[in-house]
Structures are given as C-alpha cells and as structure tokens.
Amino acid sequence: QLTISGRSGPDLDVPVNTTLNVTGSAALTVSIATGATGLVGGTINVANAAHRLTSTDGGSLVFVGGSKLLIGTAFSGNVFGNGSGTSFANSVVMQNGSLLAQASGSNPFGIAVPNSTVLFQAGSRYRVDGNVVIALSGRTYADFEYNYSGSLNLTGSTAYNIDSLIVSKGTLNFNMTGNGTIHGDVLVRSGATLNMNPASGTPVAMLGGALLQHLDVAGTFTNTAAAGFSVNNPSGILLRSNFTTSGAVQFVQGPVI
C-alpha cells in the first residue's frame, strides 16, 4: 500500500497531459490519508490486478474536467474500495467533463445503496467498455455510455437517476423492474441495440429533465408492453428519428416535437 499524507496543495497530483499507470500484476492500493487531497487533470490507467484508489475525507480525490480514469482488462473489484479500511463514502468526485471508462471489474460505487464512494457530478461520464458488473438500481450517474461490443443486462427494482443514456455499440438490455428518471438525451448509435424487457412489473422510465431532451435511435430499440415511458419535461422531447414503443406512454407535461 502507498499512503499519501498531507502538505500544502494537492498531495496526489496528476496534471493535464500526464499519465499515471497503476497496471502491475501485484495489487496496489494508493491511499490518500486524512487531511490530504488528490487532484487529477490527466489520465490514470488501472489494469491487471485488484488495484485501488482510496481516499479518507469527503471530496478529497477530485477528477476535474478533461481527466480520465481508464480501467482496463484483468481488473477486479471496486476501484475506489468498498467503504472499509482506507475507503470512505463520498470521498471521490467526478466533475463536469471527466470520464470513468471501465472494461473489467465491479461497479465504482463500492458501498451498498444508498451510499457510495464516488459522486458523479453533472457533465461527467461513466462508460462501459467491457464485460463489467454494472450497478444501476438505486444509483445516480451523470451521463451513462454503453460502449461494449457484447451484450450486458441491467436489472434491479430501486429507482435510478441518469442524465443522458448513450448506447454506442453492442446490446444493452435495460431490464430494470423499478422506475427511474432520465434527465438528458437517449441516443442509440447506428449498429447498437437498446432493449427494455423487464422480468416483472410495469416499470416506467421517466423523461424528466428540465432542458429539451433528444430522443435519437439510429440503431435498434425494442421494448415489451410492460416497459413504459413518461414524458415529464416542461421544455419537451425532440424526436430526431422515428420511435416505436410497445409500452405505454404517459404524458405529464411538455411537448413532443
């Protein structure tokens, strides 16, 4: 374990245009001690073992706009820890313009709902690049992008919140059995597939943003009669493509253009 203690200014400092590789075959925990801080403007690569980036104080490890945390292959577990030892709730912040991309391992939240080691602020992005264990039930993301050529399932019954939902490649089976809110756009790129086929219940995905939301399906979208939508945005929904749904659509407020 590498423990970083406090001094004036950032104690773990990864400036813009620099890269920190944590990619050895032996698991390493980089721990930011109480009173210390971390500031990432560049890139951190994590792969090949159960490495950890942990922090003690709330908001003490910050990924600023333009920064990247890239979790590659052969990684296991939760990158920010599981809330025990040197890992604490709300200790990591992904700011507007930052990216957390993950190709292996478990979800970044680490702690059981409703707690989390990491906060995704508006404008940040979580990107799925491989066969990872995705957690959506009871979770809050900013932008969520599915960028894996294979097929993965999203399940769970607790309400979720995401900003934009982007399916760039592969097949995302969005099979949540509980309601949730999408505050941003829904984009399905050409060649990609978004399915909604809940195993039980009649869950509703509410399009509930404050600004105009875009619905653009250049690829494939399917849902069953059990998977519904709710339009609840005073600024409205802009259809950029034809959209066919087998589920019910409830109109609460806002135009569909």
Side-chain angles (χ1 to χ4, degrees), residues 12-23 39-47 53 61-72 94 97-101 127 129:
L12 172 63
D13 191 6
V14 184
V16 176
N17 298 324
T18 68
T19 300
L20 170 63
N21 292 320
V22 186
T23 55
L39 186 65
V40 181
T43 300
I44 298 180
N45 290 308
V46 178
L53 303 173
L61 175 55
V62 177
F63 289 79
V64 302
S67 66
K68 298 177 182 179
L69 173 56
L70 306 179
I71 302 174
M94 305 296 298
S98 64
L99 170 68
L100 195 168
R127 192 178 74 201
D129 285 347

Side-chain angles (χ1 to χ4, degrees), residues 19-247:
T19 300
L20 170 63
N21 292 320
V22 186
T23 55
S25 58
L28 173 66
T29 295
V30 179
S31 173
I32 299 175
T34 186
T37 59
L39 186 65
V40 181
T43 300
I44 298 180
N45 290 308
V46 178
N48 300 322
H51 304 297
R52 300 289 182 265
L53 303 173
T54 64
S55 194
T56 301
D57 300 332
S60 55
L61 175 55
V62 177
F63 289 79
V64 302
S67 66
K68 298 177 182 179
L69 173 56
L70 306 179
I71 302 174
T73 58
F75 170 81
S76 62
N78 312 103
V79 68
F80 301 125
N82 60 7
S84 63
T86 59
S87 170
F88 287 83
N90 304 326
S91 56
V92 183
V93 178
M94 305 296 298
Q95 290 187 342
N96 180 18
S98 64
L99 170 68
L100 195 168
Q102 186 168 1
S104 60
S106 297
N107 71 82
F109 299 103
I111 311 176
V113 172
N115 298 306
S116 172
T117 58
V118 58
L119 301 174
F120 289 97
Q121 294 185 344
S124 66
R125 178 167 296 195
Y126 176 74
R127 192 178 74 201
V128 177
D129 285 347
N131 186 9
V132 305
V133 179
I134 308 174
L136 183 59
S137 183
R139 296 302 187 182
T140 297
Y141 291 89
D143 294 340
F144 181 102
E145 181 181 4
Y146 187 79
N147 190 49
Y148 172 47
S149 58
S151 175
L152 291 178
N153 298 324
L154 285 174
T155 59
S157 60
T158 306
Y160 59 86
N161 281 275
I162 58 178
D163 288 344
S164 290
L165 173 62
I166 305 156
V167 184
S168 295
K169 61 174 66 171
T171 299
L172 177 61
N173 298 308
F174 198 97
N175 296 338
M176 304 298 292
T177 56
N179 299 339
T181 303
I182 300 172
H183 300 272
D185 300 331
V186 178
L187 308 176
V188 183
R189 309 292 191 194
S190 177
T193 298
L194 172 63
N195 297 319
M196 292 183 170
N197 182 20
S200 62
T202 53
V204 174
M206 183 172 69
L207 303 176
L211 303 176
L212 182 69
Q213 293 177 258
H214 300 87
L215 187 58
D216 188 354
V217 179
T220 301
F221 171 79
T222 68
N223 69 336
T224 64
F229 287 92
S230 171
V231 175
N232 190 9
N233 181 340
S235 297
I237 310 298
L238 175 62
L239 296 179
R240 285 181 166 174
S241 62
N242 292 330
F243 181 74
T244 301
T245 173
S246 299

